[in-house]
Amino acid sequence: MAAIVGIISGFLLSVLFNEFAPALFGNETLLYTAYANVKGGFEIPFHISRGLSFVITMLLMIVISFAGPKVNPKAFELDSDMFKF
């Protein structure tokens, strides 16, 4: 489940930071500084926007992984007796 959420949230966060973050949150925040581009708008540098997307996505995936079930009911139970010759 965390992998699917990670794929979707990673894509959505990268679009958010690349296209809409300066307009929504402002040009100067604690996490980034948006610079003027040639088109007359503002944009966040590529590595900063992708880094923020990565960190938020990883935190989200970790929280979902810890919140889920501890043992998958479809998993095999391994015993040390299985590996004796």
Side-chain angles (χ1 to χ4, degrees), residues 7-82:
I7 291 171
I8 294 169
S9 65
F11 173 73
L12 292 176
L13 285 169
S14 65
V15 170
L16 172 77
F17 284 119
N18 195 36
E19 299 293 327
F20 304 112
L24 292 174
F25 307 122
N27 297 333
E28 186 80 28
T29 67
L30 185 63
L31 297 176
Y32 66 83
T33 300
Y35 298 99
N37 61 10
V38 180
K39 300 174 188 173
F42 288 89
E43 64 183 25
I44 302 169
F46 178 80
H47 286 98
I48 293 175
S49 67
R50 294 309 176 263
L52 289 171
S53 300
F54 174 76
V55 168
I56 294 170
T57 300
M58 287 298 111
L59 291 174
L60 186 62
M61 289 175 67
I62 290 168
V63 167
I64 289 172
S65 295
F66 282 133
K70 301 296 180 210
V71 177
N72 188 350
K74 296 180 181 179
F76 293 110
E77 285 191 34
L78 296 178
D79 189 12
S80 61
D81 294 333
M82 296 176 148

